[in-house]
Amino acid sequence: CLPANQERFANGKLVTVQFHPSAQVVMTAGHDRSVSLFQVKNFSLNPKIQSIYLESFPIYKARFSVDGEQVIATGTHHSMFFVYDMMAGSIIPIPKVRGVEEKFLRNFELSPDGSFMLLIGTSGYLHLLSMKTKELISTMKVNGRCTASAFTPDSSKIYSYSSKYSSSSNHNSISIAQVLRSHVSSSSGVVNLYTTDTCLKEIRPKPVKAIMNLVTSATCVTFNPTTEILAVASRDADEAVKLV
């Protein structure tokens, strides 16, 4: 297939490539301060639908809302974030969330039911926001620096992982995800696979499998929708992607 963004290649590093949850649309966003939408029509034509530019705002992460009506984007060195309302065609800055005292807001997660936005702060703080109002609901705290978090599929629980937690291989965490099973990756590329029941019942759970396919830090780990395939990737090396 031809490149999805062939009608507008990014001028900087891409940090987000995501399919729309219901439409035949793919989004790209990155350090060139832009968010672009492309229609995925067939294997040869992917026309650009729209590009929006966020001045002085290199994008750290962007995600479609669960209903597909909004795009949420955080910056590399900002305490604010933007919401792009695709139905109204308007860009809404969120300059300050009352009760959230963070110098930078970068990483975040959206709950699968579309109700919540979780901002991953510094010093182990996790800020739960309402997706409807973008107002603070609650702040949680974990020991150490939270390196990643994820909602359970029913949005009833949040899994967080801090740099003070030690797995059986004694490596700090880089990222975590949870869909029926949990996996934790280390700075050396080792990915540990756990069963959810074990993680909920035991203080120091042991992995059911350790995957050692990468030699650099595993910065992205995700299951396919049926949890039969695990994708592991590293941004520290070109083409460092493994399917397990």
Side-chain angles (χ1 to χ4, degrees):
C1 299
L2 294 176
N5 60 339
Q6 61 183 347
E7 289 202 355
R8 186 195 179 278
F9 291 128
N11 293 321
K13 179 181 179 181
L14 281 179
V15 296
T16 288
V17 176
Q18 185 187 15
F19 285 103
H20 190 276
S22 57
Q24 289 182 291
V25 173
V26 65
M27 170 181 64
T28 65
H31 289 179
D32 65 353
R33 304 167 178 82
S34 67
V35 176
S36 296
L37 302 176
F38 302 89
Q39 185 177 3
V40 183
K41 296 185 66 174
N42 50 46
F43 294 121
S44 60
L45 296 175
N46 300 306
K48 187 185 77 170
I49 299 173
Q50 188 179 18
S51 290
I52 62 171
Y53 182 76
L54 304 177
E55 187 174 356
S56 302
F57 197 82
I59 297 170
Y60 181 86
K61 183 175 183 177
R63 288 290 183 271
F64 284 115
S65 59
V66 175
D67 59 13
E69 296 182 357
Q70 297 180 343
V71 172
I72 294 90
T74 56
T76 56
H77 295 88
H78 297 79
S79 60
M80 65 178 297
F81 61 92
F82 283 92
V83 176
Y84 174 48
D85 188 331
M86 292 189 293
M87 305 301 291
S90 59
I91 302 172
I92 306 167
I94 309 294
K96 179 69 175 177
V97 178
R98 183 178 298 179
V100 177
E101 301 296 332
E102 298 285 350
K103 186 176 181 181
F104 301 126
L105 292 178
R106 294 172 176 167
N107 205 2
F108 67 93
E109 300 296 336
L110 304 179
S111 65
D113 67 357
S115 298
F116 307 110
M117 176 179 179
L118 184 70
L119 294 173
I120 302 174
T122 56
S123 303
Y125 284 98
L126 302 170
H127 308 286
L128 189 67
L129 275 57
S130 165
M131 269 296 291
K132 184 177 181 179
T133 64
K134 307 301 187 292
E135 294 179 347
L136 181 67
I137 297 173
S138 177
T139 293
M140 298 157 280
K141 177 74 165 65
V142 298
N143 293 328
R145 181 178 62 88
C146 181
T147 54
S149 292
F151 285 90
T152 54
D154 62 0
S155 304
S156 66
K157 298 180 182 67
I158 294 170
Y159 282 75
S160 67
Y161 200 88
S162 78
S163 57
K164 282 194 173 182
Y165 177 88
S166 294
S167 66
S168 59
S169 56
N170 295 319
H171 294 295
N172 289 334
S173 164
I174 295 300
S175 60
I176 188 172
Q178 195 279 339
V179 185
L180 301 182
R181 292 194 176 200
S182 300
H183 54 77
V184 176
S185 65
S186 75
S187 57
S188 64
V190 177
V191 177
N192 290 331
L193 189 68
Y194 299 85
T195 61
T196 303
D197 290 342
T198 302
C199 292
L200 293 176
K201 294 177 181 178
E202 298 182 12
I203 296 177
R204 293 185 176 274
K206 293 183 179 180
V208 295
K209 185 177 180 61
I211 303 164
M212 303 181 184
N213 296 67
L214 295 179
V215 296
T216 54
S217 173
T219 56
C220 176
V221 280
T222 186
F223 285 103
N224 78 321
T226 57
T227 73
E228 295 169 336
I229 299 175
L230 175 65
V232 183
S234 174
R235 66 168 60 96
D236 297 332
D238 291 339
E239 300 180 358
V241 180
K242 298 289 183 182
L243 298 181
V244 183

